[in-house]
Amino acid sequence: MAIEALIFDFDGLLMDTESTLLDSWRWEWRQHGLELDETGFFADHGGDVSELRYAALARAVGVRFDRAASHARRMAYRESVHAGLGLSPGIASWLNEAARLGLRLAVASSSPASWVRANLARTGDLTRFEILACGDEVAAHKPDPAVYHLALAKLDLKADQAVAFEDSPHGVTAARTAGLRCVAIPNLFTPESRYAHADVVLPSAATTILSEVLARAARF
């Protein structure tokens, strides 16, 4: 069946928000004279794990830790970094090519819709996407396939009519479990060996034109 739509993950794929997330936590630990242990920083599932990270920081700082002040300070820093954050390399070209090919575009993210919508609106890219399917609309986060099932339902398409694009192994698992072919662009924090279940693996969206990527994905 012909490909009619492309479904993109947001964090780490459309925008490198994961690097700015890690940077914000490194920065906040340093405000207390500490260094963040980055081992296992990125969870093997979608969704917000901020409370676990604040709990770890509280244990390191001790009784003087002010969670509210820490959060406000870190978020202000992250917002300042986000002000200059755009689409990941090559993504704009892919979206432009998708429009020329008449393909429908969607986002399937474990993040809340407010986060995805605000970031895409800031860069002027929100209107490129016909639908958003987000973590606050489903009961479980990736690797659960719920958000991909939601995206397909909103598009009124079957899984073999769309291709997913992901940057994390658990995102690939979610897409494949939903029956989608999946193109992976591994993030900077995960070994490429963990993406063997993706149909296509690329180093960057900037290395290959979209039509070639879709031709490769269509073989599966």
Side-chain angles (χ1 to χ4, degrees):
M1 191 171 290
I3 296 170
E4 296 186 27
L6 311 181
I7 307 177
F8 291 87
D9 174 52
F10 179 70
D11 292 291
L13 193 286
L14 286 178
M15 288 187 185
D16 189 13
T17 56
E18 294 182 344
S19 288
T20 63
L21 174 65
L22 177 57
D23 182 34
S24 74
W25 281 100
R26 285 175 180 149
W27 183 86
E28 180 56 24
W29 276 68
R30 288 168 183 165
Q31 304 316 297
H32 302 278
L34 301 168
E35 288 294 326
L36 171 69
D37 179 0
E38 299 175 20
T39 305
F41 180 83
F42 288 101
D44 281 336
H45 58 80
D48 189 357
V49 293
S50 293
E51 290 310 316
L52 295 175
R53 292 173 177 148
Y54 281 120
L57 180 55
R59 289 192 296 271
V61 173
V63 294
R64 60 189 175 85
F65 180 71
D66 184 331
R67 194 266 188 217
S70 177
H71 178 69
R73 185 170 52 239
R74 187 182 69 82
M75 292 306 294
Y77 174 82
R78 193 178 185 199
E79 284 302 314
S80 71
V81 175
H82 268 292
L85 191 66
L87 295 177
S88 298
I91 291 294
S93 294
W94 277 10
L95 299 182
N96 291 337
E97 187 178 353
R100 292 194 298 272
L101 294 171
L103 295 168
R104 302 166 68 189
L105 299 178
V107 173
S109 172
S110 287
S111 293
S114 58
W115 170 257
V116 175
R117 186 175 291 111
N119 277 286
L120 288 174
R122 177 179 53 76
T123 61
D125 295 298
L126 180 60
T127 56
R128 294 178 183 265
F129 296 91
E130 180 178 335
I131 67 103
L132 305 181
C134 297
D136 50 354
E137 301 176 88
V138 294
H141 294 142
K142 301 172 186 177
D144 190 283
V147 76
Y148 276 110
H149 288 313
L150 177 61
L152 289 168
K154 287 186 175 186
L155 290 165
D156 192 24
L157 293 177
K158 296 179 181 179
D160 60 359
Q161 294 174 288
V163 175
F165 295 80
E166 279 284 351
D167 76 300
S168 68
H170 58 269
V172 174
T173 298
R176 298 292 291 125
T177 303
L180 289 152
R181 288 162 287 190
C182 187
V183 176
I185 301 176
N187 61 51
L188 299 173
F189 314 103
T190 310
E192 188 174 324
S193 59
R194 295 189 58 197
Y195 295 84
H197 54 321
D199 297 299
V200 179
V201 180
L202 301 172
S204 166
T207 61
T208 313
I209 63 172
L210 178 65
S211 56
E212 290 182 2
V213 176
L214 297 181
R216 290 173 61 184
R219 297 172 191 157
F220 296 91

